[in-house]
Amino acid sequence: MVQFIQAQNIGLDYLEERFGLQLAEDETFFLEWLESLPEITDLEKQYLDIVKTNFLRLVKRPPILENTVKMVVVSPLLDLAGFYREPFFITTEESIELALEDEEEIVRERIDVLIIQEQLWLLVIESKRASFSLLEAIPQALGYMLANPNPEKPVFGCVTSGEDFQFIKLINQDKPEYALSDKFTLSRRGNELHQVLSILKKLSQVLS
């Protein structure tokens, strides 16, 4: 009998055991978040400062749910990065199933935000409530990314709680490998949404 598992309930151990997922050892595996990042304008910085202020104001009155994080923080970032325009297409709550041949377990869930270009999965966004740890969200996002119907192409992910952000790259060819960016957070001085937007802009350039 087939057993259905919610993606939010899987961990890295499960993905490593069932799908052979490995953390990439090559330091050059995921340079897209680190090198040749585009500049963002003063106007974009000012807007992101407002986004940060809006989010921190909401934090004073918890709980902040996933939909609020998407509306207040994620949506402005995707807009500024150009993902609402051609050649990209955004879909939300996309259903996925992930299974191995001859296995009686299927991972099933809905992706928060999926960015597509002509049926090619490009970027998976997984948002969580503000009190959620990214360490718990990363396996869930990787499970989605492993379900990419175009495994010959790299797919990128971003997990966020509104306060914290972390990027993921997955290549699923001979064996699935992934790497993580540093974590960016709004709890530090300054506004690390600036860096997050710069990375998203870089990904939009790489993927378009």
Side-chain angles (χ1 to χ4, degrees):
M1 181 176 178
V2 174
Q3 178 184 3
F4 291 97
I5 302 171
Q6 296 299 308
Q8 64 184 0
N9 295 326
I10 62 176
L12 284 176
D13 280 350
Y14 179 91
L15 297 175
E16 291 169 357
E17 178 182 344
R18 295 292 197 281
F19 300 95
L21 180 67
Q22 297 181 17
L23 182 64
E25 296 181 358
D26 184 354
E27 294 183 358
T28 65
F29 181 88
F30 187 14
L31 294 177
E32 289 87 351
W33 75 273
L34 194 58
E35 293 187 350
S36 303
L37 297 179
E39 294 288 334
I40 64 174
T41 67
D42 289 339
L43 189 60
E44 289 169 334
K45 291 178 181 178
Q46 292 171 16
Y47 183 35
L48 291 177
D49 290 344
I50 294 172
V51 171
K52 177 178 179 178
T53 298
N54 291 341
F55 177 78
L56 294 179
R57 177 176 173 270
L58 290 171
V59 170
K60 296 178 181 179
R61 296 186 178 183
I64 302 177
L65 303 180
E66 292 179 34
N67 284 339
T68 305
V69 170
K70 286 188 282 188
M71 180 175 63
V72 175
V73 182
V74 175
S75 184
L77 285 166
L78 294 179
D79 186 14
L80 291 174
F83 285 116
Y84 290 158
R85 299 185 289 278
E86 294 290 345
F88 305 110
F89 175 76
I90 286 184
T91 180
T92 59
E93 299 298 324
E94 183 81 9
S95 296
I96 63 103
E97 288 189 352
L98 177 63
L100 283 175
E101 292 184 9
D102 302 324
E103 287 285 344
E104 295 185 351
E105 294 177 340
I106 296 177
V107 178
R108 175 184 284 176
E109 193 57 275
R110 292 181 180 272
I111 302 174
D112 279 354
V113 180
L114 175 63
I115 298 175
I116 301 172
Q117 180 184 0
E118 297 180 354
Q119 304 305 312
L120 176 64
W121 287 21
L122 301 177
L123 179 64
V124 172
I125 308 288
E126 177 62 21
S127 61
K128 294 296 183 184
R129 62 186 183 273
S131 59
F132 204 87
S133 168
L134 295 192
L135 291 176
E136 299 175 62
I138 287 169
Q140 184 177 352
L142 283 166
Y144 299 154
M145 295 162 73
L146 283 167
N148 177 12
N150 301 281
E152 71 280 1
K153 300 287 187 180
V155 62
F156 296 90
C158 178
V159 292
T160 180
S161 63
E163 177 186 4
D164 299 325
F165 293 79
Q166 196 157 17
F167 292 90
I168 311 167
K169 180 179 181 179
L170 173 74
I171 295 180
N172 187 7
Q173 293 181 348
D174 297 333
K175 57 182 178 180
E177 289 186 285
Y178 75 99
L180 304 173
S181 73
D182 287 349
K183 184 169 72 174
F184 301 90
T185 180
L186 300 189
S187 61
R188 298 192 183 105
R189 294 182 182 180
N191 188 354
E192 296 194 355
L193 286 178
H194 299 175
Q195 293 97 307
V196 171
L197 175 59
S198 187
I199 294 169
L200 286 170
K201 281 192 168 189
K202 174 65 177 292
L203 294 180
S204 73
Q205 294 173 359
V206 169
L207 298 170
S208 61

Coordinates of all heavy atoms in Angstrom, one line a residue, residues 26 63 94 104 108 121 170 201 206:
D26 N 32.4 20.7 -3.7 CA 33.1 21.7 -4.6 C 32.6 23.1 -4.2 O 31.5 23.4 -4.3 CB 32.8 21.4 -6.1 CG 33.5 22.3 -7.0 OD1 34.2 23.2 -6.6 OD2 33.4 22.1 -8.2
P63 N 0.9 36.2 16.0 CA 1.8 35.5 15.0 C 1.8 36.1 13.6 O 0.8 36.6 13.2 CB 1.3 34.1 15.0 CG -0.2 34.3 15.2 CD -0.3 35.4 16.2
E94 N 1.5 25.1 -6.3 CA 1.7 24.0 -7.3 C 1.8 22.7 -6.6 O 2.7 22.5 -5.7 CB 2.9 24.3 -8.1 CG 3.2 23.3 -9.2 CD 2.4 23.6 -10.5 OE1 1.7 24.7 -10.5 OE2 2.4 22.8 -11.4
E104 N 7.2 2.5 -1.9 CA 5.8 2.6 -1.5 C 5.5 3.8 -0.7 O 4.6 3.9 0.1 CB 5.4 1.3 -0.7 CG 5.4 0.1 -1.5 CD 4.9 -1.1 -0.7 OE1 4.6 -1.0 0.5 OE2 4.7 -2.2 -1.4
R108 N 4.3 14.3 -0.9 CA 3.3 15.1 -1.6 C 3.1 16.4 -0.8 O 3.1 16.4 0.4 CB 1.9 14.4 -1.6 CG 0.8 15.2 -2.2 CD -0.5 14.4 -2.1 NE -0.6 13.3 -3.1 CZ -1.6 12.5 -3.2 NH1 -2.6 12.5 -2.3 NH2 -1.6 11.6 -4.1
W121 N 11.3 24.6 -14.6 CA 11.3 25.0 -13.2 C 12.6 25.8 -13.0 O 13.7 25.3 -13.3 CB 11.3 23.9 -12.2 CG 9.9 23.2 -12.1 CD1 8.9 23.2 -13.0 CD2 9.5 22.5 -11.0 NE1 7.9 22.5 -12.5 CE2 8.2 22.0 -11.3 CE3 10.1 22.1 -9.8 CZ2 7.5 21.2 -10.4 CZ3 9.4 21.3 -8.9 CH2 8.1 20.9 -9.2
L170 N 20.4 23.2 -6.6 CA 20.3 21.7 -6.7 C 20.6 21.3 -8.2 O 20.0 21.9 -9.1 CB 19.0 21.2 -6.3 CG 18.7 19.7 -6.6 CD1 19.5 18.8 -5.5 CD2 17.2 19.4 -6.5
K201 N 18.2 39.2 -8.4 CA 18.4 39.8 -9.7 C 19.5 39.0 -10.5 O 19.3 38.8 -11.7 CB 18.9 41.2 -9.5 CG 17.8 42.2 -9.3 CD 18.3 43.7 -9.4 CE 17.2 44.7 -9.4 NZ 17.7 46.0 -9.8
V206 N 20.7 34.9 -14.8 CA 21.3 33.6 -15.1 C 20.2 32.7 -15.7 O 20.5 32.0 -16.7 CB 21.8 32.9 -13.8 CG1 22.1 31.4 -14.1 CG2 23.0 33.6 -13.3

